[in-house]
Every structure is written in C-alpha cells, then in structure tokens.
C-alpha cells in the first residue's frame, strides 16, 4: 500500500504540467449558468411570499380574534346558565361548589377578552362593545354572588329562629301535658266524691267540678291557640310573596292578643309560665328582627338576584350580536386577503414556470454533452469495479484512466480494494473470537435471568403474606409461584387439620377438576408421608412416580402424565402445620436450588397460616364482645323503660297529693309524701343515668352539636345549682370573662356535665364555697375550660383513682354523711371525651377538690372577668 501511494504521488507532477479544467471547474461553470435562472426565480418567489405573508398575517390576526370572541360568547352563556344554579344554592357549600365551577369559565372569559383587545389594537367598535358588555356581565355576576351570600346568611338566621320556635313549642307541650293529667285526675276524683256525698256537699263538689272543667278548657284553648301560632310562624318562613307578609303580620298580632286574653283564664301557676312563653314567641313574630321581617329581606334579595339574571340574559343577547358583527368584519377581511393572495400567487407561478423551463433546457444540454458522454461512461466502469468489491470479488483490479477527479477516485478505490483484502483476513479472525464470547454471554445472561425470576417470585410471595390476612389468597399465590419457579406443571397445598389429625387440600394450581378430586383424597397418604418428615423437617422428592408402590391415586396421576414429585413440609414452632407439593410431567430429580426456593416458600406459608388463625381468633372474640355489649344495652334499656313508667306515675301522683294536701285535710302526710317524691325523682335520675351510660358504652348515644351562646347557658346552670348549694349553706360563685362568646357543642350534654360536677361539689361541701370559673385555653389550640372548685372534704389518691368508675362508693364515714357519687362522674367523663375533651381532678383531703372540664371549639373574645 505504501509503495502504491508513493508511485501515485510521483506520477501526478508528470500528468499535470499544464492546467486543464477538471470536473469541478466544468460543473461549476455549468451550475453558475443554471443558478442565474434560479436567482431570478428566487427573487420572484420572495416577492410573492412577502405579499402572500402580509395577507396571511392579516388573516392570522382576524381569525383568532373572531374565534376568541366566539369563545367569549360561549363562556358568557355558560356563566349566565351557571348563575341560575348559583341563585338556587341553599347552603354555603353549594354556593362554593357553583362558584368553583364558574371560576374556570370566568378565567376563559378574561383570557378571551384580553386576546380580543390585543388583536384589535384598541380599535374596532365591535371589540370595544364586547369589552364593555363583558365588564357589565362580570359586574352582574359578582353582585349575584354577593346577593346569594347575603341570602344564605339571612337563611341561616331564619333557620335559627325556626329552631327557637320549635323549641318554644316543645316547651309549651311539656308545660301543658302534666297540667292536663293533673286536671283529669282532679275532675275524676271530684266526680267520685260527688256521688258519695249527700245533696248539700254534692253541690259544693259540683262547683269544684265546674271550676276544674273551666280551668281545663281554658288550658286546652290556650294550648290550641299556641299550636296555631306555631303553625302560622312556620308557614311564614316559607311564604313566597312579599305582599302577603303585612297580612300575616296582622294575623300574628291578633293571634298574640288572643293568647294574652286566654292566659288570663289560666290557673295562676300555669299563667306565669305561659305568659313567659308568649313573650318569647312574640319576639319571634313581631319586630324588625322577627321571622316575617327576616323573610321579607330574603325575598328582597331573591328579587334583586332574579332581576340581575334577567339583565344577564339581555347582556348575552347584545354580546352575541357584537360577536356576530366582529365575526362578519373578520370574514370580510379574510375574504379580501385571500383574493389578493391568490392573485399574487398566480402571477408568481407564471414567472417561476418560465425560469424553470429555461433552467431545465440548460440542464439537459449540460447532461447530454458533458455528463453523459464523458463522466457517466467512466463512472459506470468505476461503479462496476466497486460493485465487484461490494459483492466480495476483491481480486479484480480497478481501471484507472484520465487526469481529473474521476481518475483520482479510481486510484482511491484501488487502494481501498487492497485494504479490504487485508481487512477481510483480520475480520475472519475477529468473528471467531466474537462467536466464542457471545456463547459465554448468553450462558451468563440465562443464569442471571433465572436468579431475577426467583427473586421476583420470592418478593411477590412475601408481599402477599404481608399485605393480606386472607389465607386462600396467600396459598394460591404461593402454589402458582412455586410451580412457576420449579418448572413444574402442577402444585398443591395441604393444611394440617388438628381436629381430624390429617392434612387436607387447601389450594391447587395447574390441575383440572378430576385430578383435583383425586388429589383431595390423598390426605391420608400425604399425612403418612409428612409424618415421616416430622423429625428431619426436610423435603422429600420422588424422581419417578412409577417407582412407588401402586395405589389408586398414584396410578391416576401416572395416567394423567405426571412423573416427578417434590413434597416440602411447613414447619412452625417445631411442628409440621402443612405441606407444599409440586408435580412435573418429566421424570428426574429436582435441582438443589429449586428445593431451597420451595423451602423458603414453605416458611412464608407457615407464617401466613399462623397470621390467619390469629386473625380469625381475634374476629371471634370481637364478635362475642360486641354481642355481649348489645345484649347488655338492650337489657338496660328495657329495664329502664319498665321502671320509668311506674316511677313517673308515682312522682306525678305524689306531686299532686303534696299540692292538694291542705285541701284534702292531710297536712300530716305532706312531709312523707315529699320524701317519697324526692326519692322517686332521685331514682328516676339514676335510671336515666344508667340508660345514658348503656347508650354510651353501646355507641348509640348521639350528640347534637350546635353554636351555643355560653353566657345564657352558664346563668341557667348556676341558677339550677344554687338551690343545691343553699341546702348545705354553701356560697356559690361563678366567675366568667366579660365576653364569653359562643362554642359549637351539644348544649344539653354540656349542661348535664356542669350540673353533675356542681351538684357533686355542693353535696361534699358543708358551709363552704363552690365556684365555677370559665376560661379560654391559652396553649394547645382553641377551646374552653370549665373549672369547678369547692372547699369540701377533699379526696385521697386512692379515692381519686376510683372516682370516675360506675357506682363509686365512699368509705363508711363519708357514705353516712354525704353518700356515694353514683354514675354522675362516670357519665361526665364519658360525655366530655365524646365531645373531644376530658375531665381531670386535683384534690387533697380536707382542702377541697378542683374538677377541670376541657372542651375544644371555643370562639369569641374573652375580656375582663365578671363575677355572678
């Protein structure tokens, strides 16, 4: 090769003594001529492209502007349609949901409006009209949203007023029901006495009977009037026409006046309570903040919103007209630009066609005179030599002639031919070495693939064991993966039945129903085989089933085509709890790697069996405990119902007898009757506490959380507890912040908690002080603390440890002086924890006790403390 290169270099000076144009120079001259025509054609094309580009830019500006305006129109229509849904929202959550759906449409409206303004360049009457209409539409939608928010606030207030009306009506029912019972009893007793006495006393009894009947009818008339007032207030909250409200308000005033008149005919004791209810219902029926006034404001807001919706419909029509004008203008501009672009394109096409014809003619002459007759002939000979080299004929020399670039190419190809001969010899040696290396790589890759597959199967089995307690799912996964990794066609899983003391089939893989039925009957054979492995705990394999003694099952498996079998015992805590069996159609022993993998599978399976059994035991215990709790709750509820019915009768009878003792001449029996009444009331409270405790334990006691003003609730609790404090000559003090605010809580249960703690403090304190203090929780979040302290006997640590247990008993001395705590404190702590809080206690013997109730959800500010 080196010698040939030297000869070529020495020959070049002799052949190039004078300059002659080569292929490059000749072709360059030809291409210069052709390029002249191309330059002229390019100039004409550039002019045409610029003209067409200007028209397309105009089209590109007008078409998106029209599209954006149409998108604005569609977005506006969707927003207007959503306004009806916003107006129909009845809760803040519905309002927020509709607003969230309208927000993307509003964003698209703003984007489209911005795009229209940018493309319009601040000009165009239609674009300006669209911007103004969209601005009005957005303003109306914002006002509708504001009106809906105000309407929802008023609606919440109206709902609160209706709740108050319902509560007052319930109190009225509770007020009249016992009165009617007492009056019925009194009328019946008077009739009996009238029948027993003679004429003159009977006349007196008749007058008493008439008076009782009059009082009873007056009470019934008052109750009916109050119920009518309640019904009218409920209907007022749903009236749909505002012009009816003055008439309704007039009717409400007349109804209240009638109630005032009927109250005068009631018994004095009943009259005072009934007048108080009339005053409360009057505040809800008449006034600037009464139910008719609040409903009127709500109807005003609804009317305003409906008016805005109507305006939005008109804006939509005007917006559609403006969009149509803008689209029409865009169509006119696009049509004009398209016509102009087509005209320029046609003229340019004619010019380019002429230059193309001239360029084609000159190209034909160059190809025919020079390329075809000179270059192509020599290149064909060079191509034949190169094809021979490409076809493997490397020993045929290349024809080298001439003194231009083609001759140089021929000499280079000749050098390449000689190098190729040498390269083929080297490649032959490399191919042999590469083939040997490829065989080694394939063997290693197959080995790694088997390892990866085994690791993946182990991972899937481990995941199945850890992710579920369903034994069947785990066993099916293990059997299928065991058969896959071991290269077998079928597998089975046996679980040891402790009651029958044998192994039973639990999962199969790769077997049809007939084979499964036959294998299922092999539990005796499997039990015998595994029993032999209980000492070694090692797998057992059979290379060929035909080597085993003949049995019906074995013969059936051989007939089905199975030959080899591998049995792996499942060992847990030193005992065999199951067996994993895989079967293969090909005879022969299993590899040690396969046996180790199946031993790992067996360990995972033993763990799954143990977990499933433990889970089953836990579920059984849980069901038993739940059934016991339900039976207990049902028994307590039935017992409480059976006890409360006679107790209520005893309490009502003793209360009537105490009230009428003087009239019947039984003043000496009044004190025993009072003791019976107090004992019955105490027993009824205890029964109610037992029922509450059973409901809490059964999870059936439901709370009714609501926003509660704390100041009235504290005043009510203190007023009730003050009588308890006065019985032991105690001083009751209530210290609360100046502004308690409100909190979300079940008011009845909070009142029950505070009364239980205050009554307990008053009972264990003699001639001392009992205090209720309310304060905000400073650390740990928003909440309220109620602190009840006393200067009573205090408690030891042992007593405090049992304080919140049911029916806590005091020692003999304390029980004789004060009694036990019963269920009150146990229920108090359970109720507090149901509300998300807790009750704690601090006490020392002889120094009193401090109970602290911590509840979450406090709102409002706390100012300077106020003392009641």
């Amino acid at each position: 090769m080196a010698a040939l290169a030297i000869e070529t270099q020495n020959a070049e000076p002799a052949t190039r003594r004078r300059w002659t144009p080569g292929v490059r120079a000749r072709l360059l001259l030809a291409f210069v001529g052709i390029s002249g025509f191309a330059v002229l054609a390019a100039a004409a094309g550039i002019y045409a492209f610029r003209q067409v580009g200007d028209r397309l830019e105009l089209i590109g500006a007008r078409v998106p502007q029209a599209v954006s305006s149409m998108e604005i129109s569609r977005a506006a229509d969707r927003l207007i349609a959503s306004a009806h849904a916003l107006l129909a929202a009845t809760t803040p959550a519905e309002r927020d949901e509709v607003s969230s759906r309208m927000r993307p449409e509003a964003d698209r409206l703003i984007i489209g409006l911005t795009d229209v303004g940018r493309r319009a360049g601040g000009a165009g009457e239609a674009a300006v009209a669209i911007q103004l209409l969209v601005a009005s539409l957005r303003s109306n939608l914002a006002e509708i949203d504001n009106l809906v928010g105000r309407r929802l606030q008023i609606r919440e207030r109206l709902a609160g007023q209706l709740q108050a009306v319902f509560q007052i009506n319930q109190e009225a029912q509770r007020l009249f029901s016992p009165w009617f019972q007492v009056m019925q009893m009194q009328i019946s007793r008077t009739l009996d006495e009238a029948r027993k006495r003679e004429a003159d006393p009977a006349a007196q009894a008749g007058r008493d009977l008439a008076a009782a009947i009059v009082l009873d009818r007056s009470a019934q008339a008052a109750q009916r009037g109050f119920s009518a007032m309640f019904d009218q207030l409920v209907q007022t909250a749903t009236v749909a026409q505002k012009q009816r409200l003055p008439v309704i308000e007039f009717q409400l005033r007349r109804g209240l006046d009638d109630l005032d008149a009927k109250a005068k005919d009631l018994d004095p004791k009943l009259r005072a309570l009934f007048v108080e209810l009339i005053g409360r219902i009057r505040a809800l029926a008449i006034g600037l903040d009464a139910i008719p006034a609040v409903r009127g404001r709500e109807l005003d807001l609804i009317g305003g919103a409906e008016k805005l919706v109507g305006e939005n419909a008109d804006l939509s029509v005007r917006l559609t007209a403006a969009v149509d004008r803008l689209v029409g203008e865009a169509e006119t501009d696009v049509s004009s630009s398209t016509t102009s672009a087509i005209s320029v394109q046609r003229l340019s096409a004619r010019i380019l066609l002429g230059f193309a014809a001239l360029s084609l003619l000159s190209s034909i002459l160059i190809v025919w005179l020079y390329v075809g007759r000179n270059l192509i002939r020599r290149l064909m000979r060079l191509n034949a030599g190169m094809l021979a080299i490409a076809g493997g004929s490397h020993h045929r020399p290349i024809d080298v002639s001439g003194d231009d670039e083609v001759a140089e190419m021929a000499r280079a190809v000749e050098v390449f031919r000689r190098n190729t001969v040498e390269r083929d010899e080297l490649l032959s040696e490399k191919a042999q070495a590469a083939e040997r290396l490829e065989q080694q790589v394939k063997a290693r890759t197959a080995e790694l693939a088997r390892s990866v597959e085994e690791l993946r199967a182990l991972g899937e089995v481990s995941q199945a064991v850890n992710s579920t307690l369903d034994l069947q799912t785990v066993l099916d996964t293990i059997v299928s993966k065991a058969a896959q990794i071991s290269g077998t066609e079928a597998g089975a899983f046996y679980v040891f039945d402790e009651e029958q003391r044998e192994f039973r089939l639990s999962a199969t893989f790769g077997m049809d129903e007939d084979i499964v039925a036959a294998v299922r009957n092999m539990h005796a054979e499997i039990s015998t085989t595994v029993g032999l492995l209980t000492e070694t705990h090692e797998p057992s394999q059979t290379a060929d089933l035909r080597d085993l003694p003949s049995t019906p099952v074995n013969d059936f498996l051989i007939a089905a085509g199975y030959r080899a079998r591998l049995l792996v015992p499942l060992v847990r805590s030193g005992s065999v709890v199951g067996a994993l069996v895989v079967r293969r159609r090909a005879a022969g022993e299993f590899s040690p790697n396969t046996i180790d993998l199946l031993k790992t599978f067996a360990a995972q399976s033993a763990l799954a069996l143990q977990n499933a059994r433990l889970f089953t035991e836990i579920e059984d215990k849980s069901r038993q405990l739940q059934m016991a709790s339900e039976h207990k709750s049902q028994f307590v509820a039935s017992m409480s119902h059976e006890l409360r019915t006679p107790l209520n009768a005893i309490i009502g009878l003793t209360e009537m007898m105490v009230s009428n003792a003087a009239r019947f001449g039984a003043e000496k029996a009044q004190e025993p009757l009072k003791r019976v009444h107090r004992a019955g009331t105490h027993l009824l409270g205890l029964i109610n506490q037992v029922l509450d405790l059973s409901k809490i334990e059964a999870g059936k006691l439901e709370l009714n959380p609501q926003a509660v003003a704390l100041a009235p609730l504290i005043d009510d609790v203190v007023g009730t507890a003050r009588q308890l404090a006065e019985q032991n000559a105690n001083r009751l003090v209530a210290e609360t912040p100046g502004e308690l605010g409100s909190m979300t809580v079940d008011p009845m249960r909070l009142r029950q908690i505070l009364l239980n703690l205050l009554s307990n403090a008053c009972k264990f304190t003699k001639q001392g002080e009992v205090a209720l203090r309310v304060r905000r929780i400073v650390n740990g979040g928003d909440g309220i603390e109620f602190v009840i302290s006393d200067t009573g006997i205090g408690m030891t640590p042992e007593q405090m440890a049992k304080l919140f247990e049911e029916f806590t008993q005091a020692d003999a001395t304390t029980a004789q002086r004060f009694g036990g705590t019963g269920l009150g404190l146990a229920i108090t702590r359970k109720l507090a924890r149901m509300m998300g809080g807790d009750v704690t206690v601090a006490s020392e013997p002889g120094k009193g006790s401090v109970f602290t109730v911590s509840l979450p959800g406090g709102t409002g500010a706390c100012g300077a403390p106020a003392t009641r």
Side-chain angles (χ1 to χ4, degrees):
M1 292 176 60
L4 180 59
I6 294 174
E7 291 177 0
T8 303
Q9 293 176 0
N10 293 332
E12 286 180 357
T15 57
R16 295 186 180 180
R17 292 178 180 175
R18 62 174 184 172
W19 181 85
T20 56
V23 176
R24 181 172 59 184
R26 296 168 188 171
L27 291 177
L28 181 62
L29 292 175
F31 288 150
V32 167
I34 297 173
S35 299
F37 296 110
V39 169
L40 295 176
I46 290 172
Y47 171 78
F49 288 153
R50 287 185 175 178
Q51 293 296 319
V52 173
D54 293 340
R55 303 306 187 275
L56 291 177
E57 286 181 0
L58 179 60
I59 294 173
R62 297 296 283 168
V63 170
Q65 185 183 27
V67 173
S68 298
S69 62
M70 295 174 69
E71 181 63 27
I72 289 174
S73 178
R74 288 192 294 269
D77 291 340
R78 288 191 291 267
L79 282 174
I80 292 171
S82 299
H84 292 282
L86 181 64
L87 186 60
T90 59
T91 63
E94 293 181 3
R95 174 197 175 196
D96 295 340
E97 181 182 359
V98 176
S99 298
S100 63
R101 293 201 305 266
M102 295 175 63
R103 193 172 295 111
E105 300 296 338
D107 294 339
R108 282 192 286 270
L109 188 67
I110 295 173
I111 293 172
L113 186 63
T114 303
D115 188 58
V116 168
R118 177 174 58 81
R119 296 182 183 277
E125 294 181 358
V128 173
I130 290 173
Q131 293 177 350
L132 294 176
L133 291 172
V134 169
S136 299
L137 178 61
R138 291 177 59 194
S139 175
N140 283 2
L141 290 175
E143 182 64 21
I144 289 174
D145 185 71
N146 180 37
L147 291 177
V148 170
R150 291 166 56 192
R151 181 178 68 83
L152 291 178
Q153 293 177 355
I154 290 178
R155 193 65 188 173
E156 290 179 358
R157 182 172 183 81
L158 188 60
Q161 291 177 328
L162 285 177
Q163 183 66 28
V165 170
F166 278 101
Q167 183 175 358
I168 294 171
N169 184 59
Q170 292 177 357
E171 293 179 5
Q173 297 299 325
R174 289 195 297 268
L175 176 65
F176 281 104
S177 295
W179 174 263
F180 290 149
Q181 294 178 0
V182 172
M183 293 305 299
Q184 285 295 111
M185 295 175 61
Q186 185 173 351
I187 292 171
S188 299
R189 185 175 62 252
T190 305
L191 286 173
D192 293 338
E193 292 178 354
R195 295 189 187 99
K196 294 177 181 179
R197 296 179 181 179
E198 297 179 355
D200 292 338
Q204 179 62 34
R207 288 190 294 271
D208 293 341
L209 177 62
I213 293 174
V214 170
L215 289 176
D216 183 64
R217 289 183 177 179
S218 299
Q220 290 181 358
Q223 184 190 28
R224 288 194 299 271
F226 200 88
S227 298
M229 178 62 62
F230 164 75
D231 294 338
Q232 196 165 11
L233 281 176
V234 173
Q235 293 175 1
T236 303
T238 59
V239 67
Q241 298 177 356
K242 186 178 179 181
Q243 55 269 27
R244 290 187 56 196
L245 290 177
V247 177
I248 293 175
E249 187 172 1
F250 175 74
Q251 294 175 349
L252 290 174
R253 291 180 182 274
R254 290 189 58 187
L256 289 171
D257 294 340
D258 185 57
L259 286 178
D260 290 336
K262 291 177 180 179
K264 295 177 181 179
D265 297 332
L266 298 176
D267 184 87
K269 296 181 181 180
L270 185 62
R271 184 190 310 154
L273 298 175
F274 186 65
V275 168
E276 191 270 336
L277 292 178
I278 294 174
R280 291 168 59 186
I281 204 73
R282 184 185 300 276
L284 294 172
I286 300 174
L288 297 178
D289 201 26
I291 290 178
V294 173
R295 179 58 180 171
R297 291 195 292 271
E298 182 182 10
L299 291 175
D300 290 339
L301 292 176
I302 293 174
E306 292 176 348
K307 180 179 179 182
L308 290 175
V309 170
E311 293 179 1
N312 286 345
D314 180 63
L315 290 175
S316 176
V317 174
R318 294 166 59 190
L319 181 61
T320 302
V323 169
D324 291 341
R325 290 199 304 272
L326 185 62
V327 171
E329 294 174 1
E331 288 179 351
T332 302
D333 293 343
V334 169
S335 177
S336 175
S337 299
T338 303
T339 303
S340 177
I342 292 174
S343 175
V344 172
Q345 185 268 338
R346 289 176 179 174
L347 177 61
S348 300
R350 295 191 188 96
I351 296 174
L352 290 174
L353 183 61
F355 287 131
L358 293 176
S359 177
L360 178 62
L361 180 61
S362 61
S363 299
I364 291 173
L365 293 175
I366 292 171
V367 170
W368 179 59
L369 293 176
Y370 173 68
V371 176
R373 297 179 62 181
N374 187 1
L375 291 179
I376 297 301
R377 186 181 303 164
R378 294 164 61 199
L379 288 174
M380 291 295 291
R381 291 198 297 267
L382 179 60
N383 179 63
M386 294 175 66
L387 290 176
I389 294 173
S393 179
H394 299 157
H395 300 284
R396 177 181 176 182
I398 300 297
D399 182 18
V400 179
S401 61
D403 57 354
D404 54 9
E405 289 86 349
V406 177
E408 294 178 357
M409 290 172 60
R411 286 191 288 271
V413 171
E414 177 64 18
V415 174
F416 175 74
R417 184 187 67 80
R418 294 182 181 181
N419 291 338
T420 302
V421 173
E422 296 179 0
R423 185 204 62 185
D424 290 343
E425 296 175 354
L426 294 175
L427 289 178
S428 178
E429 298 176 357
K430 291 182 179 180
Q432 296 176 0
E435 185 176 359
R436 292 193 298 271
L437 180 60
E438 183 178 359
Q439 295 298 330
Q440 297 176 357
V441 171
K442 287 182 178 179
R444 183 59 178 165
T445 301
E447 182 180 353
L448 291 175
R450 287 194 299 272
S451 300
V452 170
E453 188 65 25
E454 293 170 357
L455 291 175
R456 182 180 295 111
L458 286 174
E460 292 178 359
V461 172
S462 178
Q463 181 180 4
V465 172
N466 296 327
S467 62
T468 180
L469 290 174
D470 184 8
L471 179 61
Q472 192 62 43
T473 301
V474 175
L475 296 183
D476 290 341
T477 302
I478 292 176
V479 170
S480 62
K481 292 302 177 183
Q484 176 184 347
I485 294 302
S486 62
T488 57
E489 292 80 16
F493 205 101
Y494 292 85
V495 177
F496 183 68
D497 188 347
E498 295 183 357
E499 295 181 358
Q500 302 295 329
R501 305 302 297 174
E502 62 182 8
F503 291 85
R504 295 195 174 275
L505 184 65
S506 300
T508 61
F509 174 77
M511 297 186 292
D512 56 25
E513 295 181 358
D514 295 335
I515 298 177
V516 172
V519 172
R520 193 178 300 278
N521 296 324
M522 288 183 63
H523 51 269
E525 179 183 345
I526 293 294
S527 298
T528 303
T529 305
V530 178
L532 299 176
L533 304 177
T534 54
E535 296 182 359
T536 62
H537 297 165
E538 293 296 329
S540 172
Q541 64 170 317
T542 302
D544 196 337
L545 296 177
R546 292 174 293 187
D547 297 337
L548 297 176
S550 178
T551 62
V553 177
N554 194 35
D555 295 342
F556 185 83
L557 291 174
I558 293 173
Y562 294 104
R563 293 294 181 267
R565 182 190 72 183
L566 176 61
L567 187 149
V568 183
L570 274 68
V571 181
R572 194 66 183 171
S573 299
S575 301
V576 178
V577 297
L580 175 63
V581 182
V582 293
R583 294 182 175 86
R584 190 175 60 200
R585 296 185 182 276
E589 294 186 351
F590 291 86
S591 65
N593 186 30
T594 301
I595 296 175
D596 292 338
L597 276 175
L598 293 186
K599 288 174 66 177
T600 303
F601 281 13
Q604 296 286 350
S605 303
L607 176 62
L609 284 171
Q610 183 182 22
N611 291 342
R613 288 172 177 171
L614 291 176
F615 181 71
T616 302
E617 292 177 0
I618 292 173
E619 283 188 334
D620 292 339
K621 296 297 183 182
S622 298
R623 283 193 295 269
Q624 293 174 7
L625 290 175
Q626 183 178 2
M627 291 178 62
S629 178
E630 291 179 356
H631 290 321
K632 174 185 174 183
S633 300
Q634 292 175 359
F635 171 74
V636 171
S638 300
M639 180 192 69
S640 300
H641 177 73
E642 295 297 332
L643 290 176
R644 283 190 298 177
T645 301
L647 272 178
N648 282 325
I650 292 172
I651 292 171
L653 181 60
T654 54
E655 183 178 2
M656 183 194 69
M657 295 176 69
V658 169
S659 301
N660 297 287
R663 173 186 285 177
F664 299 149
E667 290 84 352
K668 295 182 179 181
Q670 189 170 16
E671 184 60 30
L673 289 174
K674 289 182 178 180
R675 288 198 298 270
V676 172
H677 182 268
R678 287 195 298 268
T681 304
H682 175 73
L683 182 57
L684 181 61
L686 183 60
I687 291 173
N688 290 332
Q689 289 180 347
V690 171
L691 184 59
D692 287 344
L693 184 61
S694 67
K695 288 182 179 179
I696 293 173
E697 292 178 349
K700 297 181 179 180
L701 183 66
E702 297 182 357
L703 298 179
N704 183 22
Q706 53 185 285
V708 178
L710 290 178
L713 188 144
I714 296 298
D715 291 341
D716 182 35
V717 170
V718 171
T720 303
R722 194 171 302 279
Q723 298 177 0
L724 301 175
E726 292 174 354
Q727 290 177 2
N728 287 341
N730 292 320
R731 177 174 175 264
L732 180 60
V733 178
E735 295 182 1
T736 59
E739 296 181 2
L740 276 177
S742 61
M743 67 181 300
T744 301
V745 72
D746 187 328
M748 183 180 70
R749 297 304 176 185
L750 177 58
R751 186 180 291 105
Q752 182 179 355
I753 289 173
L754 297 179
L755 284 176
N756 283 346
L757 294 176
L758 284 173
S759 63
N760 190 66
C762 293
K763 180 166 64 172
F764 288 95
T765 303
K766 301 292 186 180
Q767 297 179 353
E769 179 178 284
V770 177
L772 169 61
R773 296 176 176 86
V774 184
R775 61 193 182 195
R776 295 289 299 277
I777 297 178
V778 179
N779 297 323
D782 190 14
I784 296 291
E785 283 187 350
F786 302 89
V787 181
I788 294 91
S789 61
D790 61 67
T791 59
I793 61 175
M795 291 176 286
T796 63
E798 293 78 9
Q799 290 174 331
M800 286 191 292
K802 300 179 180 179
L803 184 63
F804 294 102
E805 296 179 358
E806 292 85 354
F807 295 104
T808 302
Q809 296 296 327
D811 55 74
T813 303
T814 305
Q816 183 177 2
R817 294 181 55 197
F818 303 98
T821 59
L823 293 174
L825 293 180
I827 294 176
T828 296
R829 170 169 279 186
K830 292 180 183 294
L831 288 176
R833 290 180 175 177
M834 287 180 64
M835 296 179 185
D838 201 356
V839 179
T840 58
V841 60
S843 180
E844 293 183 18
K847 296 184 178 181
S849 304
V850 178
F851 289 83
T852 302
V853 182
S854 302
L855 295 178
T859 59
C862 285
T867 302
R868 293 175 176 83

